């Protein structure tokens, strides 16, 4: 049985490449010290040097930090505080962090574009707590809106022909009720 770990190699040009390494669980004579071996499906990531050490312009890391998008200093500070508190073992601290973030984004009337950027960020860093807060706020903003209003909020251009629009109205009349 083997274990697979994906490492990310970052180069100075800020290009990112992925290298999949396999670790053997059982001792083998060809690899007795459990040194990882490159997956043969992985493309050649470097030049033909024989050194197994990363080149100076590369860093190897298992966790890649994704910076918080530029969403303004206040929201950034609140999100950073939320991320710190949500990792707490105390449920009261985590609940207070969720409530503080919710209150802030409602009180400050954060633009939907910013909410969507932060929801995408939360997805990228796999932070479900952060994602839940931002996605719920977006859902609250479009709740009980008419199709035309939702199109306006998201900047969606109606590219239906009149016939297609009528077919959609007939198929989903509840969405067009006044």
């Amino acid at each position: 049985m083997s274990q697979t770990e994906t490492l990310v190699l970052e180069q100075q040009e800020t290009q990112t490449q992925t290298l999949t390494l396999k670790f053997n669980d059982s001792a083998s004579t060809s690899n007795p010290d459990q040194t990882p071996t490159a997956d043969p499906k992985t493309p050649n990531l470097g030049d033909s040097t024989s050194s197994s050490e990363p080149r100076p312009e590369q860093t190897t890391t298992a966790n890649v930090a994704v910076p918080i998008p530029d969403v303004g200093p206040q929201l950034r500070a609140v999100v950073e505080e939320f991320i710190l508190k949500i990792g707490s073992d105390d449920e009261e601290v985590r609940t207070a962090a969720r409530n503080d973030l919710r209150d802030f984004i409602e009180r400050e009337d954060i633009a939907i574009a910013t909410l969507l950027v932060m929801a995408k960020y939360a997805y990228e860093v796999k932070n479900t707590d952060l994602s839940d807060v931002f996605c719920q706020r977006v859902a609250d903003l479009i709740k009980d809106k008419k199709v035309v209003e939702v199109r306006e909020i998201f900047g969606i251009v109606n590219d239906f022909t009149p016939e297609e629009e009528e077919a959609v109205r007939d198929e989903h009349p509840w969405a067009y009720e006044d």
Side-chain angles (χ1 to χ4, degrees):
M1 174 163 254
S2 67
Q3 177 184 12
T4 302
E5 179 175 322
T6 301
L7 300 177
V8 176
L9 300 176
E10 296 179 329
Q11 297 178 339
Q12 278 184 330
E13 300 88 33
T14 67
Q15 297 173 352
T16 302
Q17 297 178 329
T18 303
L19 171 65
T20 302
L21 300 176
K22 295 198 177 194
F23 296 85
N24 294 327
D25 291 338
S26 60
S28 102
T29 56
S30 63
N31 198 1
D33 61 347
Q34 301 276 328
T35 304
T37 57
D39 185 347
K41 297 176 192 165
T42 303
N44 183 5
L45 297 176
D47 57 12
S48 59
T49 60
S50 61
S51 172
S52 63
E53 294 296 317
R55 295 188 314 242
E57 68 270 9
Q58 293 179 331
T59 57
T60 305
T61 174
N63 294 323
V64 177
V66 179
I68 297 173
D70 185 19
V71 291
Q74 289 178 323
L75 180 56
R76 181 184 181 93
V78 172
V79 168
E80 287 173 348
E81 183 179 335
F82 173 84
I83 291 170
L84 291 173
K85 288 182 178 179
I86 206 69
S88 172
D89 292 335
D90 186 357
E91 182 61 35
E92 288 180 19
V93 171
R94 292 192 309 265
T95 301
R98 282 186 207 98
N99 291 338
D100 290 347
L101 181 58
R102 280 189 197 117
D103 292 345
F104 179 82
I105 62 177
E106 287 176 17
R107 182 179 65 246
E108 296 297 318
D109 197 26
I110 305 296
I112 193 136
T114 303
L115 295 172
L116 294 173
V117 165
M118 289 306 300
K120 181 181 177 194
Y121 167 78
Y123 173 79
E124 288 173 352
V125 297
K126 296 174 178 57
N127 187 323
T128 55
D129 294 307
L130 191 62
S131 180
D132 288 348
V133 171
F134 283 102
C135 289
Q136 183 61 55
R137 181 64 181 146
V138 171
D140 291 344
L141 289 174
I142 64 173
K143 183 179 179 181
D144 298 327
K145 300 281 192 230
K146 297 177 184 174
V147 172
V148 174
E149 294 170 321
V150 173
R151 285 182 184 149
E152 264 182 39
I153 290 171
F154 290 108
I156 299 170
V157 177
N158 182 5
D159 59 353
F160 288 134
T161 64
E163 295 81 23
E164 291 171 328
E165 181 82 22
E166 190 59 38
V168 171
R169 285 178 185 270
D170 290 343
E171 191 174 333
H172 306 285
W174 55 267
Y176 294 90
E177 292 176 354
D178 289 333

